[in-house]
Amino acid sequence: WNVSLVSLLDTGNIGFEVGSAEAAPGGYVDVPVVITENTGVATFNLKISYDSALTPVSITSNLMEGSLTSNLQQGIVDAGYVTAYWVNPSDITATGNAFTIRFKVSEDAEGELPVTISCSDGDICDQSFGNIDASFSDGLVTIKDGAGNGDLAYTVNSIEV
């Protein structure tokens, strides 16, 4: 008998960063998830967790190619996290804003609210189903009284690799 073992090899790199934003209690805030580096990706399945003072309202894809699906689009908004599953038939190497999550901020929110990003092994692949190494940077929603309706500019910090 001749048996071959196949393993998933890391075939590239990609970086994801959650932007930071300011919002007023009771307002809305848009939090971007940005691709900061990308050697070529065809699919990702990301988990974005958030503070209980935030309630996700919507997710909007900003990628020109592929298809984004989320638990928010399925009406699941109280899971404590947002899934972002994106797929494309071929690799893209784009960087920039991949998608944006809009949150409703609770009336009693205060301080800095973490928004974190993660995935499981094998959740980011190229078009040949090769596993892609990922780096992640979390974000914050900072609550400021008098910040208007919360639709303020956000900051994305650069990541040096």
Side-chain angles (χ1 to χ4, degrees), residues 66-114:
S67 176
L68 180 73
T69 303
S70 171
N71 58 331
L72 296 181
Q73 295 163 328
Q74 318 246 324
I76 304 169
V77 295
D78 59 354
Y81 60 88
V82 174
T83 58
Y85 176 70
W86 175 85
V87 63
N88 195 58
S90 60
D91 289 343
I92 66 163
T93 57
T95 57
N97 192 341
F99 57 92
T100 302
I101 303 172
R102 175 164 275 207
F103 291 97
K104 171 76 170 137
V105 181
S106 74
E107 294 288 342
D108 59 349
E110 58 185 17
E112 294 181 334
L113 311 177

Short mmCIF file of all heavy atoms in Angstrom, two decimals, residues 66-114:
data_model
loop_
_atom_site.label_atom_id
_atom_site.label_comp_id
_atom_site.label_asym_id
_atom_site.label_seq_id
_atom_site.Cartn_x
_atom_site.Cartn_y
_atom_site.Cartn_z
N GLY A 66 -16.60 39.19 -5.02
CA GLY A 66 -17.01 38.20 -4.04
C GLY A 66 -18.35 38.47 -3.42
O GLY A 66 -19.08 39.40 -3.79
N SER A 67 -18.69 37.64 -2.43
CA SER A 67 -19.99 37.70 -1.78
C SER A 67 -19.80 37.60 -0.28
O SER A 67 -19.12 36.70 0.21
CB SER A 67 -20.86 36.55 -2.28
OG SER A 67 -22.08 36.53 -1.61
N LEU A 68 -20.41 38.52 0.48
CA LEU A 68 -20.32 38.53 1.93
C LEU A 68 -21.65 38.08 2.52
O LEU A 68 -22.71 38.56 2.13
CB LEU A 68 -20.00 39.95 2.43
CG LEU A 68 -19.88 40.10 3.95
CD1 LEU A 68 -18.59 39.46 4.45
CD2 LEU A 68 -19.93 41.57 4.33
N THR A 69 -21.58 37.16 3.47
CA THR A 69 -22.75 36.68 4.21
C THR A 69 -22.45 36.82 5.69
O THR A 69 -21.30 36.68 6.11
CB THR A 69 -23.03 35.20 3.88
OG1 THR A 69 -23.21 35.07 2.48
CG2 THR A 69 -24.27 34.70 4.58
N SER A 70 -23.48 37.08 6.49
CA SER A 70 -23.29 37.29 7.92
C SER A 70 -24.50 36.78 8.69
O SER A 70 -25.60 36.70 8.15
CB SER A 70 -23.10 38.78 8.19
OG SER A 70 -23.12 39.04 9.57
N ASN A 71 -24.27 36.47 9.97
CA ASN A 71 -25.40 36.10 10.82
C ASN A 71 -26.39 37.26 10.96
O ASN A 71 -27.57 37.04 11.18
CB ASN A 71 -24.92 35.63 12.19
CG ASN A 71 -24.09 36.64 12.96
OD1 ASN A 71 -23.40 37.49 12.38
ND2 ASN A 71 -24.12 36.56 14.27
N LEU A 72 -25.94 38.49 10.77
CA LEU A 72 -26.86 39.64 10.83
C LEU A 72 -27.87 39.58 9.70
O LEU A 72 -29.04 39.92 9.89
CB LEU A 72 -26.09 40.96 10.76
CG LEU A 72 -25.13 41.25 11.91
CD1 LEU A 72 -24.47 42.59 11.69
CD2 LEU A 72 -25.85 41.18 13.24
N GLN A 73 -27.43 39.15 8.53
CA GLN A 73 -28.33 39.04 7.39
C GLN A 73 -29.34 37.92 7.58
O GLN A 73 -30.37 37.89 6.91
CB GLN A 73 -27.53 38.82 6.11
CG GLN A 73 -26.64 40.01 5.77
CD GLN A 73 -25.57 39.65 4.78
OE1 GLN A 73 -25.07 38.53 4.75
NE2 GLN A 73 -25.20 40.62 3.96
N GLN A 74 -29.06 37.03 8.49
CA GLN A 74 -29.97 35.92 8.79
C GLN A 74 -30.89 36.25 9.97
O GLN A 74 -31.61 35.39 10.45
CB GLN A 74 -29.16 34.66 9.09
CG GLN A 74 -28.00 34.46 8.16
CD GLN A 74 -28.14 33.26 7.29
OE1 GLN A 74 -28.67 32.26 7.71
NE2 GLN A 74 -27.67 33.37 6.07
N GLY A 75 -30.79 37.49 10.48
CA GLY A 75 -31.63 37.91 11.59
C GLY A 75 -31.11 37.51 12.96
O GLY A 75 -31.81 37.66 13.96
N ILE A 76 -29.88 37.03 13.05
CA ILE A 76 -29.30 36.62 14.33
C ILE A 76 -28.46 37.79 14.84
O ILE A 76 -27.33 38.00 14.40
CB ILE A 76 -28.44 35.36 14.18
CG1 ILE A 76 -29.26 34.23 13.58
CG2 ILE A 76 -27.83 34.95 15.53
CD1 ILE A 76 -28.46 33.03 13.14
N VAL A 77 -29.01 38.58 15.77
CA VAL A 77 -28.33 39.78 16.22
C VAL A 77 -27.93 39.74 17.69
O VAL A 77 -27.30 40.66 18.18
CB VAL A 77 -29.18 41.05 15.97
CG1 VAL A 77 -29.37 41.27 14.48
CG2 VAL A 77 -30.50 40.97 16.69
N ASP A 78 -28.27 38.69 18.42
CA ASP A 78 -27.96 38.64 19.84
C ASP A 78 -26.97 37.54 20.19
O ASP A 78 -26.94 37.05 21.30
CB ASP A 78 -29.24 38.49 20.66
CG ASP A 78 -30.01 37.23 20.30
OD1 ASP A 78 -29.63 36.53 19.35
OD2 ASP A 78 -31.01 36.95 20.98
N ALA A 79 -26.13 37.18 19.25
CA ALA A 79 -25.18 36.08 19.47
C ALA A 79 -23.95 36.51 20.27
O ALA A 79 -23.21 35.66 20.73
CB ALA A 79 -24.74 35.51 18.12
N GLY A 80 -23.71 37.81 20.40
CA GLY A 80 -22.50 38.29 21.06
C GLY A 80 -21.33 38.43 20.11
O GLY A 80 -20.25 38.83 20.50
N TYR A 81 -21.56 38.08 18.87
CA TYR A 81 -20.54 38.24 17.84
C TYR A 81 -21.20 38.35 16.48
O TYR A 81 -22.35 37.98 16.31
CB TYR A 81 -19.54 37.08 17.84
CG TYR A 81 -20.18 35.73 17.59
CD1 TYR A 81 -20.36 35.24 16.30
CD2 TYR A 81 -20.62 34.94 18.65
CE1 TYR A 81 -20.96 34.02 16.06
CE2 TYR A 81 -21.22 33.72 18.42
CZ TYR A 81 -21.38 33.26 17.13
OH TYR A 81 -21.99 32.05 16.91
N VAL A 82 -20.44 38.88 15.54
CA VAL A 82 -20.89 38.96 14.15
C VAL A 82 -19.97 38.06 13.34
O VAL A 82 -18.75 38.12 13.49
CB VAL A 82 -20.79 40.41 13.61
CG1 VAL A 82 -21.11 40.46 12.12
CG2 VAL A 82 -21.71 41.33 14.39
N THR A 83 -20.56 37.20 12.51
CA THR A 83 -19.74 36.43 11.58
C THR A 83 -19.71 37.16 10.25
O THR A 83 -20.71 37.74 9.83
CB THR A 83 -20.28 35.00 11.35
OG1 THR A 83 -21.61 35.10 10.86
CG2 THR A 83 -20.25 34.18 12.62
N ALA A 84 -18.56 37.12 9.62
CA ALA A 84 -18.41 37.70 8.29
C ALA A 84 -17.76 36.64 7.42
O ALA A 84 -16.58 36.34 7.55
CB ALA A 84 -17.56 38.95 8.34
N TYR A 85 -18.58 36.02 6.56
CA TYR A 85 -18.09 34.99 5.66
C TYR A 85 -18.07 35.56 4.26
O TYR A 85 -19.10 35.94 3.72
CB TYR A 85 -18.97 33.74 5.73
CG TYR A 85 -18.56 32.68 4.75
CD1 TYR A 85 -17.38 31.97 4.93
CD2 TYR A 85 -19.34 32.40 3.64
CE1 TYR A 85 -16.99 31.00 4.01
CE2 TYR A 85 -18.95 31.43 2.72
CZ TYR A 85 -17.78 30.74 2.91
OH TYR A 85 -17.37 29.80 2.01
N TRP A 86 -16.88 35.65 3.67
CA TRP A 86 -16.71 36.20 2.33
C TRP A 86 -16.07 35.14 1.45
O TRP A 86 -15.15 34.43 1.88
CB TRP A 86 -15.84 37.45 2.38
CG TRP A 86 -15.52 38.01 1.04
CD1 TRP A 86 -16.27 38.87 0.30
CD2 TRP A 86 -14.35 37.75 0.26
NE1 TRP A 86 -15.65 39.16 -0.89
CE2 TRP A 86 -14.46 38.47 -0.93
CE3 TRP A 86 -13.22 36.94 0.46
CZ2 TRP A 86 -13.48 38.43 -1.93
CZ3 TRP A 86 -12.25 36.90 -0.53
CH2 TRP A 86 -12.40 37.65 -1.70
N VAL A 87 -16.55 35.02 0.20
CA VAL A 87 -16.00 34.04 -0.74
C VAL A 87 -15.96 34.64 -2.13
O VAL A 87 -16.82 35.43 -2.52
CB VAL A 87 -16.82 32.72 -0.71
CG1 VAL A 87 -18.24 32.94 -1.17
CG2 VAL A 87 -16.14 31.63 -1.50
N ASN A 88 -14.92 34.25 -2.87
CA ASN A 88 -14.72 34.69 -4.25
C ASN A 88 -14.13 33.50 -5.01
O ASN A 88 -13.37 32.72 -4.44
CB ASN A 88 -13.76 35.88 -4.29
CG ASN A 88 -13.79 36.61 -5.61
OD1 ASN A 88 -14.83 37.07 -6.05
ND2 ASN A 88 -12.64 36.71 -6.24
N PRO A 89 -14.44 33.31 -6.28
CA PRO A 89 -13.93 32.15 -7.01
C PRO A 89 -12.42 32.19 -7.26
O PRO A 89 -11.81 31.15 -7.53
CB PRO A 89 -14.69 32.16 -8.34
CG PRO A 89 -15.28 33.51 -8.45
CD PRO A 89 -15.40 34.07 -7.08
N SER A 90 -11.80 33.36 -7.16
CA SER A 90 -10.35 33.45 -7.35
C SER A 90 -9.76 34.40 -6.32
O SER A 90 -10.47 35.19 -5.69
CB SER A 90 -10.03 33.92 -8.78
OG SER A 90 -10.60 35.19 -9.01
N ASP A 91 -8.45 34.34 -6.16
CA ASP A 91 -7.77 35.19 -5.19
C ASP A 91 -7.90 36.66 -5.56
O ASP A 91 -7.87 37.02 -6.74
CB ASP A 91 -6.27 34.86 -5.13
CG ASP A 91 -6.00 33.52 -4.47
OD1 ASP A 91 -6.89 33.00 -3.78
OD2 ASP A 91 -4.86 33.03 -4.63
N ILE A 92 -8.03 37.50 -4.55
CA ILE A 92 -7.89 38.94 -4.73
C ILE A 92 -6.75 39.39 -3.82
O ILE A 92 -6.45 38.74 -2.81
CB ILE A 92 -9.18 39.72 -4.41
CG1 ILE A 92 -9.53 39.62 -2.92
CG2 ILE A 92 -10.34 39.28 -5.28
CD1 ILE A 92 -10.53 40.67 -2.47
N THR A 93 -6.11 40.48 -4.18
CA THR A 93 -5.01 41.01 -3.37
C THR A 93 -5.32 42.41 -2.86
O THR A 93 -4.42 43.14 -2.44
CB THR A 93 -3.70 41.03 -4.18
OG1 THR A 93 -3.91 41.80 -5.37
CG2 THR A 93 -3.24 39.61 -4.53
N ALA A 94 -6.58 42.77 -2.87
CA ALA A 94 -7.00 44.10 -2.44
C ALA A 94 -6.70 44.32 -0.96
O ALA A 94 -6.73 43.39 -0.15
CB ALA A 94 -8.49 44.29 -2.70
N THR A 95 -6.42 45.58 -0.62
CA THR A 95 -6.34 46.01 0.77
C THR A 95 -7.32 47.17 0.93
O THR A 95 -7.84 47.71 -0.04
CB THR A 95 -4.92 46.46 1.14
OG1 THR A 95 -4.51 47.51 0.26
CG2 THR A 95 -3.93 45.30 1.06
N GLY A 96 -7.59 47.54 2.17
CA GLY A 96 -8.53 48.61 2.45
C GLY A 96 -9.75 48.09 3.18
O GLY A 96 -9.77 46.96 3.69
N ASN A 97 -10.79 48.90 3.24
CA ASN A 97 -11.98 48.58 4.00
C ASN A 97 -12.72 47.39 3.39
O ASN A 97 -13.29 47.50 2.31
CB ASN A 97 -12.90 49.81 4.05
CG ASN A 97 -14.02 49.68 5.05
OD1 ASN A 97 -14.36 48.58 5.47
ND2 ASN A 97 -14.61 50.79 5.42
N ALA A 98 -12.71 46.26 4.09
CA ALA A 98 -13.38 45.04 3.60
C ALA A 98 -14.89 45.09 3.87
O ALA A 98 -15.69 44.78 3.00
CB ALA A 98 -12.78 43.80 4.26
N PHE A 99 -15.26 45.48 5.08
CA PHE A 99 -16.67 45.60 5.43
C PHE A 99 -16.82 46.50 6.64
O PHE A 99 -15.84 46.77 7.35
CB PHE A 99 -17.33 44.23 5.67
CG PHE A 99 -16.68 43.39 6.73
CD1 PHE A 99 -17.11 43.45 8.06
CD2 PHE A 99 -15.66 42.51 6.41
CE1 PHE A 99 -16.52 42.66 9.03
CE2 PHE A 99 -15.07 41.72 7.37
CZ PHE A 99 -15.49 41.79 8.69
N THR A 100 -18.04 46.98 6.85
CA THR A 100 -18.33 47.88 7.96
C THR A 100 -19.52 47.33 8.73
O THR A 100 -20.52 46.92 8.13
CB THR A 100 -18.66 49.29 7.44
OG1 THR A 100 -17.55 49.77 6.67
CG2 THR A 100 -18.95 50.25 8.58
N ILE A 101 -19.39 47.33 10.05
CA ILE A 101 -20.49 46.90 10.92
C ILE A 101 -21.05 48.14 11.62
O ILE A 101 -20.30 48.92 12.20
CB ILE A 101 -20.02 45.88 11.98
CG1 ILE A 101 -19.39 44.66 11.30
CG2 ILE A 101 -21.20 45.47 12.88
CD1 ILE A 101 -18.73 43.71 12.26
N ARG A 102 -22.35 48.32 11.53
CA ARG A 102 -23.02 49.42 12.24
C ARG A 102 -23.58 48.86 13.53
O ARG A 102 -24.26 47.83 13.55
CB ARG A 102 -24.13 50.02 11.39
CG ARG A 102 -24.93 51.08 12.17
CD ARG A 102 -25.75 51.92 11.27
NE ARG A 102 -24.86 52.98 10.79
CZ ARG A 102 -25.26 54.16 10.41
NH1 ARG A 102 -26.54 54.45 10.39
NH2 ARG A 102 -24.40 55.07 10.02
N PHE A 103 -23.28 49.57 14.63
CA PHE A 103 -23.76 49.20 15.95
C PHE A 103 -24.66 50.30 16.51
O PHE A 103 -24.42 51.49 16.28
CB PHE A 103 -22.60 49.03 16.94
CG PHE A 103 -21.72 47.85 16.68
CD1 PHE A 103 -20.53 48.00 15.98
CD2 PHE A 103 -22.05 46.59 17.15
CE1 PHE A 103 -19.69 46.93 15.75
CE2 PHE A 103 -21.22 45.50 16.93
CZ PHE A 103 -20.05 45.67 16.23
N LYS A 104 -25.67 49.90 17.28
CA LYS A 104 -26.46 50.81 18.11
C LYS A 104 -25.81 50.78 19.49
O LYS A 104 -25.52 49.72 20.04
CB LYS A 104 -27.92 50.33 18.20
CG LYS A 104 -28.77 51.08 19.20
CD LYS A 104 -29.18 52.43 18.68
CE LYS A 104 -30.23 53.04 19.61
NZ LYS A 104 -29.99 54.43 19.89
N VAL A 105 -25.54 51.97 20.05
CA VAL A 105 -24.89 52.09 21.35
C VAL A 105 -25.97 52.25 22.41
O VAL A 105 -26.90 53.04 22.25
CB VAL A 105 -23.94 53.32 21.36
CG1 VAL A 105 -23.23 53.44 22.71
CG2 VAL A 105 -22.93 53.22 20.22
N SER A 106 -25.86 51.50 23.51
CA SER A 106 -26.87 51.60 24.57
C SER A 106 -26.82 52.98 25.23
O SER A 106 -25.79 53.65 25.23
CB SER A 106 -26.69 50.50 25.61
OG SER A 106 -25.57 50.78 26.43
N GLU A 107 -27.95 53.37 25.79
CA GLU A 107 -28.07 54.69 26.44
C GLU A 107 -27.14 54.83 27.64
O GLU A 107 -26.72 55.94 27.97
CB GLU A 107 -29.52 54.92 26.89
CG GLU A 107 -30.51 55.03 25.77
CD GLU A 107 -30.40 56.33 24.99
OE1 GLU A 107 -29.79 57.30 25.49
OE2 GLU A 107 -30.92 56.37 23.85
N ASP A 108 -26.82 53.72 28.30
CA ASP A 108 -25.97 53.80 29.50
C ASP A 108 -24.51 53.41 29.23
O ASP A 108 -23.74 53.17 30.16
CB ASP A 108 -26.56 52.95 30.62
CG ASP A 108 -26.72 51.48 30.23
OD1 ASP A 108 -26.56 51.16 29.03
OD2 ASP A 108 -27.01 50.66 31.12
N ALA A 109 -24.11 53.36 27.98
CA ALA A 109 -22.74 53.00 27.62
C ALA A 109 -21.77 54.08 28.10
O ALA A 109 -22.08 55.27 28.09
CB ALA A 109 -22.61 52.82 26.11
N GLU A 110 -20.58 53.64 28.50
CA GLU A 110 -19.54 54.58 28.91
C GLU A 110 -18.17 53.94 28.76
O GLU A 110 -18.05 52.71 28.70
CB GLU A 110 -19.74 55.06 30.35
CG GLU A 110 -19.77 53.95 31.37
CD GLU A 110 -20.10 54.45 32.77
OE1 GLU A 110 -20.62 55.57 32.92
OE2 GLU A 110 -19.83 53.71 33.71
N GLY A 111 -17.16 54.77 28.64
CA GLY A 111 -15.79 54.28 28.58
C GLY A 111 -15.39 53.78 27.20
O GLY A 111 -15.87 54.27 26.19
N GLU A 112 -14.51 52.80 27.19
CA GLU A 112 -14.02 52.20 25.95
C GLU A 112 -14.59 50.78 25.82
O GLU A 112 -14.45 49.97 26.73
CB GLU A 112 -12.50 52.15 25.94
CG GLU A 112 -11.87 53.54 25.89
CD GLU A 112 -10.36 53.49 25.85
OE1 GLU A 112 -9.76 52.51 26.32
OE2 GLU A 112 -9.77 54.46 25.33
N LEU A 113 -15.23 50.53 24.69
CA LEU A 113 -15.87 49.24 24.44
C LEU A 113 -15.05 48.47 23.41
O LEU A 113 -14.90 48.93 22.28
CB LEU A 113 -17.29 49.46 23.93
CG LEU A 113 -18.17 50.43 24.73
CD1 LEU A 113 -19.51 50.60 24.06
CD2 LEU A 113 -18.32 49.95 26.16
N PRO A 114 -14.52 47.30 23.77
CA PRO A 114 -13.69 46.55 22.83
C PRO A 114 -14.51 45.90 21.71
O PRO A 114 -15.63 45.45 21.92
CB PRO A 114 -13.03 45.48 23.70
CG PRO A 114 -13.95 45.32 24.87
CD PRO A 114 -14.61 46.66 25.08
#
